[in-house]
């Protein structure tokens, strides 16, 4: 693709959530500079943990990226040597952005596919070794179905990054988010507490680790700094040993998650 064509196609989108860089100094624009740091820190936070459990590489693995947006985490997966990535998102512009990014980077089309659809109504024709569930659990009213999807996909590894309820018990908090189809409306969702994520994982045969932060800069990351957002790594089968090792290095003690300490810490940070 010629540089002028790439710049024109990038500019045709009114908004980019992620910065992608291409040859010749071309890059996608982001509205807030803090977003660049945010996603680099997130890569260090949960994607590096995924690679630790997987043995340092995703070589030979199939990855399902739920709510893929413009494909940043799908790209990270392929750069970690995943064999194939399927990204699914309900918003056509995001799917178009992802396809443009991968085309511009010259990635072999046999290694990826992006599709538009509702994750709960989509017919998946493949099984997957890894599921990326980033920013999805916080915007659904059907968390149980989401865990059933992980199981049905056959995944041995799952990464969840989500807003969490401050509840010290295994509960879901009724909340509202903007309707993605109509920003003037809101929809009801169920925010999980950290213990709810851990218990649902175990109910579906996964071990689970809530990740302690390893951020070096919280610019653009107030939700993490205030402990309103956390990430979890789930594993089963041949990946269970890697998860145990990760828990020893990066895990948050469950007794801390289940105590009032978590809520008090949030209250102090939010003042």
């Amino acid at each position: 693709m010629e540089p002028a064509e790439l710049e024109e196609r990038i500019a045709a989108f009114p908004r980019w959530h992620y910065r992608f860089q291409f040859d010749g100094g071309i890059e996608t624009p982001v509205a807030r500079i803090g977003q660049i740091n945010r996603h680099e820190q997130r890569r260090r936070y949960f994607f590096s943990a995924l690679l630790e459990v997987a043995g340092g590489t995703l070589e030979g693995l199939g990855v399902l990226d739920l709510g893929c947006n413009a494909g940043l985490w799908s790209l990270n997966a392929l750069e970690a040597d995943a064999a194939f990535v399927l990204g699914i998102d309900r918003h056509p512009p995001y799917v178009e952005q992802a396809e443009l990014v991968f085309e511009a980077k010259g990635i072999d089309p046999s290694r990826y596919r992006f599709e538009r659809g509702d994750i709960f109504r989509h017919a998946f024709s493949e099984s997957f070794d890894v599921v990326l569930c980033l920013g999805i659990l916080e915007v659904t009213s059907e968390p149980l179905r989401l865990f059933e999807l992980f199981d049905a996909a056959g995944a041995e590894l799952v990464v969840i990054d989500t807003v969490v309820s401050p509840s010290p018990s295994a509960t879901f908090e009724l909340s509202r988010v903007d309707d993605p189809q109509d920003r003037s409306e809101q929809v009801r969702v169920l925010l999980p507490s950290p213990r709810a994520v851990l218990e649902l994982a175990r109910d579906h045969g996964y071990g689970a680790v809530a990740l302690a932060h390893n951020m070096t800069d919280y610019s653009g990351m107030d939700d993490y700094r205030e402990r309103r957002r956390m990430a979890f790594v789930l594993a089963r089968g041949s990946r269970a040993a890697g998860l145990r090792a990760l828990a020893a290095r990066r895990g948050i003690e469950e007794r801390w998650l289940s105590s009032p300490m978590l809520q008090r810490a949030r209250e102090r940070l939010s003042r």
Side-chain angles (χ1 to χ4, degrees):
M1 186 184 305
E2 293 297 320
E5 179 188 355
L6 177 56
E7 289 182 317
E8 182 179 350
R9 291 177 66 182
I10 288 172
F13 292 98
R15 179 180 180 275
W16 286 82
H17 187 67
Y18 299 116
R19 181 180 69 167
F20 295 93
Q21 296 177 302
F22 306 93
D23 292 342
I26 299 172
E27 62 183 33
T28 56
V30 291
R32 294 173 291 173
I33 195 68
Q35 290 292 97
I36 297 172
N37 175 69
R38 177 183 178 84
H39 299 306
E40 174 56 24
Q41 296 291 337
R42 294 177 82 210
R43 184 189 64 78
R44 293 182 64 255
Y45 176 43
F46 57 69
F47 199 83
S48 65
L50 167 65
L51 292 182
E52 286 184 47
V53 178
T57 179
L58 300 182
E59 184 176 3
L61 302 183
V63 177
L64 174 60
D65 187 0
L66 301 175
C68 63
N69 198 283
L72 176 66
W73 304 108
S74 294
L75 183 61
N76 272 269
L78 289 185
E79 290 176 342
D81 296 322
F84 177 78
V85 174
L86 171 61
I88 180 168
D89 202 290
R90 65 187 301 175
H91 306 296
Y94 292 157
V95 173
E96 293 166 10
Q97 286 180 342
E99 290 173 340
L100 171 58
V101 168
F102 278 53
E103 177 187 353
K105 286 187 172 290
I107 298 172
D108 183 348
S110 69
R111 296 185 66 201
Y112 70 90
R113 190 169 74 253
F114 292 104
E115 297 179 353
R116 177 182 177 272
D118 181 327
I119 61 173
F120 294 129
R121 294 171 176 80
H122 198 70
F124 295 103
S125 58
E126 302 104 333
S127 60
F128 298 90
D129 305 287
V130 180
V131 175
L132 304 178
C133 179
L134 311 176
I136 298 298
L137 187 52
E138 70 207 57
V139 294
T140 181
S141 61
E142 301 180 276
L144 298 183
R145 288 186 66 190
L146 193 55
F147 279 78
E148 290 167 1
L149 192 160
F150 303 156
D151 193 28
E156 285 197 332
L157 284 169
V158 180
V159 179
I160 296 173
D161 182 70
T162 184
V163 173
V164 291
S165 163
S167 172
S169 59
T171 58
F172 288 87
E173 175 187 329
L174 188 62
S175 185
R176 293 178 181 268
V177 296
D178 289 341
D179 185 338
Q181 304 300 323
D182 183 355
R183 295 293 179 174
S184 66
E185 299 293 332
Q186 292 189 317
V187 295
R188 290 285 192 177
V189 298
L190 293 172
L191 292 182
S193 68
R195 278 185 60 83
V197 176
L198 298 176
E199 291 199 13
L200 275 178
R202 291 165 187 157
D203 287 348
H204 289 82
Y206 291 97
V209 172
L211 293 177
H213 287 183
N214 64 347
M215 287 74 171
T216 58
D217 181 353
Y218 280 99
S219 300
M221 304 188 77
D222 285 348
D223 48 351
Y224 290 96
R225 181 179 60 81
E226 295 168 1
R227 303 301 193 266
R228 290 182 286 111
R229 179 180 287 277
M230 303 177 63
F232 305 80
V233 179
L234 285 51
R236 63 183 179 184
S238 64
R239 306 297 176 178
L243 187 73
R244 288 192 292 270
L246 178 70
R249 292 192 300 271
R250 296 271 311 274
I252 298 173
E253 289 188 42
E254 190 168 340
R255 66 178 180 82
W256 191 87
L257 290 175
S258 63
S259 77
M261 292 169 61
L262 182 61
Q263 188 163 0
R264 289 201 296 268
R266 285 197 183 88
E267 289 169 352
R268 287 195 301 270
L269 287 165
S270 63
R271 289 171 186 162

